[in-house]
Amino acid sequence: MRLVAVAAVGAALAFPGLAQGQGGGCLGTITADPKPGPALRFGVTPGVQTGQLGTGPAPPRTPEVPARQLAAVGKLRPAKGPFVLRLHRFFWSEGEAGVQRFLALAKRYTSHGYLVELQLRYHPTPAQEGDIPAWLRFVRRVVDGFGPNPRVVAIQVTNEVNLDFSPDSSDGAYERGRDALIQGVKAAKDEARRRGFDQLEIGFNWAYRNSPSAEQSFWNYIRDHGGPSFVRALDWVGVDAYPGTFIPPVNSPGGERDALVNVFSSFRCYSGGAGIPKSVPIHVEENGYPTGPGRTYERQEQAMDTMVRAVHDFRGTFDIADYRWFNLRDGDSTSPNFQQQYGLMTDEYVPKPAFGLYRDLVRRFTTGHPRPRLQLRRHCFGRRWTGRVVGTHLEQVRSVSFRIGGRRAPADTRLPFAHSFDARGLNPNSTIVGVARIADGKPLRLEKSLHSC
């Protein structure tokens, strides 16, 4: 199946005229016009173990050292912007023990000021496989457990369900994986809304890519069984792409740029056919290039520079909001298997040249301050109003204080930044003011006038 997929992509890359939708599939294009957009939010996968495509799990050669790991990510994070750590291989099969392990990891990272997102794998035991009601109970348990931490900002529900042949890396290999994706996304979003975890964004990811027939089957299923309720539950959609390793298996230096255009254009074609609008932003959840036999440190550095700049250049073209390099450290720097050597560092925490390059690219292209706005809601069967600060990257907001007329509320220091107040006796033309303080102490003044129901 991988050979079929490689052949299909090779056709698209060799013949740019094979556009989206021709030949019964979404072959995409290799050319597009760069368009600016909001700056990217960057991050990295800090965990050392990688999912193995076509093989079983491979444990790391040397153990993880939390202090060295934190020191390393501390050198990558931008001084005045967010940095997201993507916690992967969170398996349903591990049950409550897995929940507690990842809660501890999330606490470790968020207590040092990082943002965290979860790759929540379906990955069932044989007894669990296909039991969607039990899976949904687990999804809600995860939302309830992690949602109160305002720095846990996203959950990716399932992993690479469009791939159906690699159980270690991809949930499509398990019975009812597609239903786990669709119903899991809806359950996660419903639980986050019900509990008021406004910072917790829900999405799923897609791996570039399977054969055209397998892809069409996957996306048709998403269209037919997801529907509007599924689309409404999505805050973002993820893409995993590794040009020069899997598909396409080989790139000449610089060819990664065209390859990523093909990734994003074909993804927007497929997902659009499933009813997901282009307004739902893309998160590049996994992107990387390994070292090892036949792949030098210098080649990894060149591929990274091309790929990160391509994502930056086309962020407005395809509405790309986030980028994660996969991953921080090698699993085994002595292995002949390139899947063990995607790290920015060796398995003994020695930085490769790409480490310094990624640090510099993050600082150059990362998002700056949040762009909050004030939202007002009047409770029309009473006299109360609620003011809420909404917008992007609110994790950088440290506190918000509200006032209206001569009334002032205590500063709110936790998400969601909201306050309800009694509007009796106020002038109908009164204005509510919210003053948001950002991580560096800069105040932002937000205003909005009252209005009738």
Side-chain angles (χ1 to χ4, degrees):
M1 185 173 294
R2 286 174 58 192
L3 294 178
V4 175
V6 170
V9 174
L13 295 176
F15 302 102
L18 289 176
Q20 296 157 306
Q22 292 183 356
C26 290
L27 295 180
T29 183
I30 60 170
T31 59
D33 293 328
K35 294 181 181 178
L40 297 166
R41 184 173 66 173
F42 283 89
V44 72
T45 302
V48 61
Q49 190 169 349
T50 61
Q52 303 292 296
L53 186 63
T55 68
R61 185 175 75 97
T62 57
E64 292 183 274
V65 182
R68 299 182 76 177
Q69 189 183 62
L70 284 168
V73 294
K75 294 176 182 177
L76 295 175
R77 69 190 300 182
K80 295 184 179 180
F83 199 66
V84 183
L85 302 184
R86 180 177 184 258
L87 309 188
H88 72 316
R89 297 181 72 81
F90 185 176
F91 296 162
W92 178 28
S93 57
E94 294 183 3
E96 187 61 24
V99 173
Q100 295 303 318
R101 182 163 66 90
F102 277 85
L103 280 171
L105 286 172
K107 182 178 180 180
R108 176 196 300 171
Y109 296 129
T110 59
S111 67
H112 284 82
Y114 296 98
L115 305 180
V116 160
E117 66 181 7
L118 305 173
Q119 179 209 63
L120 182 59
R121 290 284 305 272
Y122 176 46
H123 200 282
T125 65
Q128 293 169 328
E129 190 168 5
D131 189 347
I132 298 303
W135 159 248
L136 299 184
R137 289 193 294 272
F138 183 73
V139 169
R140 290 181 183 273
R141 164 70 181 100
V142 169
V143 172
D144 293 343
F146 289 82
N149 186 334
R151 289 185 168 273
V152 178
V153 295
I155 297 179
Q156 175 194 302
V157 179
T158 70
N159 191 61
E160 299 180 349
V161 174
N162 65 303
L163 300 186
D164 56 4
F165 53 85
S166 179
D168 186 56
S169 64
S170 310
D171 287 329
Y174 297 101
E175 181 183 350
R176 300 196 69 188
R178 296 173 180 183
D179 294 321
L181 187 165
I182 294 168
Q183 300 303 323
V185 164
K186 290 161 63 172
K189 193 60 185 180
D190 177 73
E191 191 70 8
R193 287 169 175 159
R194 188 179 69 83
R195 294 291 302 275
F197 302 143
D198 294 347
Q199 91 287 359
L200 195 59
E201 297 187 332
I202 308 301
F204 76 98
N205 72 330
W206 170 77
Y208 179 86
R209 70 186 168 178
N210 210 331
S211 67
S213 60
E215 289 294 350
Q216 203 62 61
S217 172
F218 169 77
W219 288 106
N220 286 350
Y221 196 93
I222 297 297
R223 178 196 65 202
D224 296 341
H225 295 83
S229 61
F230 172 72
V231 174
R232 287 195 299 269
L234 285 174
D235 296 302
W236 54 271
V237 286
V239 167
D240 296 359
Y242 296 90
T245 54
F246 293 115
I247 300 175
V250 178
N251 268 125
S252 59
E256 299 87 4
R257 183 180 178 90
D258 290 347
L260 284 179
V261 170
N262 189 253
V263 170
F264 301 134
S265 60
S266 60
F267 175 75
R268 283 301 188 190
C269 174
Y270 277 124
S271 60
I276 300 172
K278 293 181 180 179
S279 58
V280 179
I282 290 174
H283 289 190
V284 180
E285 289 295 299
E286 294 183 20
N287 178 232
Y289 189 89
T291 56
R295 294 181 169 92
T296 65
Y297 284 174
E298 291 74 22
R299 183 71 176 92
Q300 182 188 47
E301 195 176 21
Q302 179 276 318
M304 169 187 283
D305 190 59
T306 300
M307 292 190 295
V308 173
R309 290 177 184 276
V311 172
H312 169 77
D313 290 349
F314 295 107
R315 68 193 189 281
T317 310
F318 299 107
D319 195 0
I320 304 170
D322 281 49
Y323 178 90
R324 315 278 177 264
W325 179 266
F326 190 89
N327 57 343
L328 178 65
R329 199 204 85 172
D330 287 351
D332 183 352
S333 298
T334 68
S335 173
N337 184 348
F338 68 82
Q339 296 179 94
Q340 289 287 317
Q341 300 190 56
Y342 277 98
L344 298 171
M345 313 176 84
T346 71
D347 59 10
E348 295 180 337
Y349 293 96
V350 177
K352 303 176 186 178
F355 184 95
L357 175 62
Y358 191 55
R359 176 199 61 211
D360 295 343
L361 291 169
V362 168
R363 292 176 181 177
R364 178 170 182 176
F365 297 134
T366 195
T367 183
H369 294 294
R371 294 178 290 279
R373 64 185 188 278
L374 190 58
Q375 183 182 76
L376 287 183
R377 179 188 176 199
R378 182 176 181 181
H379 305 276
C380 296
F381 295 103
R383 299 183 177 90
R384 301 196 68 80
W385 286 76
T386 296
R388 182 187 298 270
V389 174
V390 297
T392 58
H393 308 322
L394 295 185
E395 67 280 346
Q396 296 178 68
V397 176
R398 293 294 177 263
S399 68
V400 177
S401 57
F402 295 92
R403 70 173 183 268
I404 182 168
R407 307 174 191 178
R408 185 184 298 270
D412 191 349
T413 59
R414 290 179 63 85
L415 287 167
F417 299 111
H419 182 71
S420 294
F421 52 91
D422 192 332
R424 285 179 294 187
L426 291 175
N427 188 311
N429 296 320
S430 294
T431 298
I432 182 172
V433 176
V435 178
R437 290 201 170 272
I438 313 303
D440 64 358
K442 178 182 178 181
L444 295 176
R445 181 184 173 94
L446 312 170
E447 296 185 4
K448 200 154 190 177
S449 299
L450 301 181
H451 57 85
S452 301
C453 291

